[in-house]
Amino acid sequence: MRLVFLGAPGAGKGTLADQVCEKWEIPHISTGDLFRFHLSQKTPLGIEAQSYMDQGKLVPDDLTCRLVEDRLSQEDCQKGFLLDGFPRNVAQAEALKKYLEGRALSLDGVVSIEVPTDLIIQRLSGRRVCVSCGASYNVNGQIPTNSSVCDRCGGSVIQRSDDRPETIAKRLETYQESTFPLVAYYQKTGQKFIQVDNSGDVAESMEQLKRQL
Ligand code: AMP
């Protein structure tokens, strides 16, 4: 199964993607997580990506596409993968198409996770994440038992620097300008396109998604 997950930052792509990957036994490839890993290791790629991430802008396509192609060429992606946060614009979608076509492969589906903007802002500003395992919490609801310690792995739970209000606004603007056009792009390709309303209960969204997959 080869899938792409589209959706604004904070739409809940990561949570649903984790569950889909567990069920279909495919790797969850989040470009945001890959960039944050490079950043934590202070690799040249991480250092270059940081200024874009801090400003809520997209990291340049050449860097991003190389990172993704490198990841897709690894052994665990041979039986499928789920891309979360990639592609983020039409140029990246074209690069992915070319990469897959070159290997006689194609996507099995594109999933669009949809949530109204006011709810996204509320979710992002309350979001807290574990620096070690990436588990996601929210001060407006699901918080760790001990507020700064991850229930899953004991790591530190923090607010991502790009979840601060000024960067959230920029990320949503970037999404509208660059990523939202991918909905029309993929609908036009005749690709299996699945829309999931994730404004309510995640378990219900997951049921909707599983039925359609
Ligand atoms: P995310 O965790 O998906 O919200 O991504 C965090 C940040 O990483 C984004 O705001 C971008 O700066 C960068 N990023 C993640 N994925 C991409 C992508 N496909 N293209 C360019 N930049 C990306």
Side-chain angles (χ1 to χ4, degrees):
M1 176 93 88
R2 286 179 288 274
L3 296 172
V4 158
F5 267 38
L6 299 178
K13 297 188 294 297
T15 309
L16 289 169
D18 270 344
Q19 296 186 33
V20 167
C21 288
E22 195 179 328
K23 181 165 170 50
W24 274 275
E25 298 182 346
I26 49 176
H28 176 182
I29 302 173
S30 153
T31 39
D33 285 349
L34 289 175
F35 282 130
R36 279 184 289 278
F37 173 76
H38 277 272
L39 201 57
S40 71
Q41 303 299 305
K42 301 202 171 23
T43 68
L45 188 143
I47 291 164
E48 190 166 352
Q50 179 167 29
S51 63
Y52 298 96
M53 295 171 78
D54 284 348
Q55 295 174 68
K57 292 183 183 167
L58 293 184
V59 177
D61 291 340
D62 57 335
L63 270 191
T64 308
C65 292
R66 254 190 292 137
L67 177 77
V68 172
E69 290 184 9
D70 178 55
R71 181 66 187 87
L72 291 182
S73 67
Q74 291 171 20
E75 184 58 33
D76 62 335
C77 294
Q78 301 318 304
K79 59 179 181 169
F81 53 78
L82 186 159
L83 285 168
D84 162 5
F86 182 93
R88 268 306 221 268
N89 59 28
V90 172
Q92 294 181 5
E94 290 287 329
L96 176 63
K97 184 166 171 253
K98 195 167 156 212
Y99 175 89
L100 293 174
E101 281 176 357
R103 287 154 186 79
L105 299 172
S106 58
L107 292 174
D108 295 302
V110 174
V111 178
S112 172
I113 312 287
E114 300 175 0
V115 174
T117 308
D118 52 346
L119 188 53
I120 284 198
I121 294 172
Q122 192 188 325
R123 281 187 187 170
L124 283 178
S125 49
R127 178 163 72 178
R128 300 293 182 268
V129 291
C130 170
V131 288
S132 304
C133 73
S136 191
Y137 298 93
N138 201 293
V139 294
N140 302 312
Q142 186 216 358
I143 50 166
T145 317
N146 172 343
S147 66
S148 58
V149 179
C150 178
D151 287 339
R152 194 156 80 182
C153 76
S156 300
V157 173
I158 57 146
Q159 181 174 43
R160 268 169 52 175
S161 59
D162 60 352
D163 279 346
R164 302 215 175 97
E166 52 298 356
T167 318
I168 291 176
K170 181 63 195 164
R171 287 166 71 204
L172 290 175
E173 194 185 307
T174 304
Y175 170 77
Q176 274 307 326
E177 270 172 24
S178 305
T179 313
F180 184 68
L182 285 179
V183 170
Y185 170 91
Y186 277 121
Q187 280 174 325
K188 258 190 259 154
T189 59
Q191 190 76 61
K192 182 174 175 64
F193 191 82
I194 300 171
Q195 286 168 291
V196 177
D197 172 7
N198 194 30
S199 51
D201 183 30
V202 181
E204 170 53 30
S205 306
M206 189 58 205
E207 278 312 307
Q208 268 184 52
L209 183 51
K210 270 200 269 180
R211 274 197 301 272
Q212 297 194 71
L213 282 175

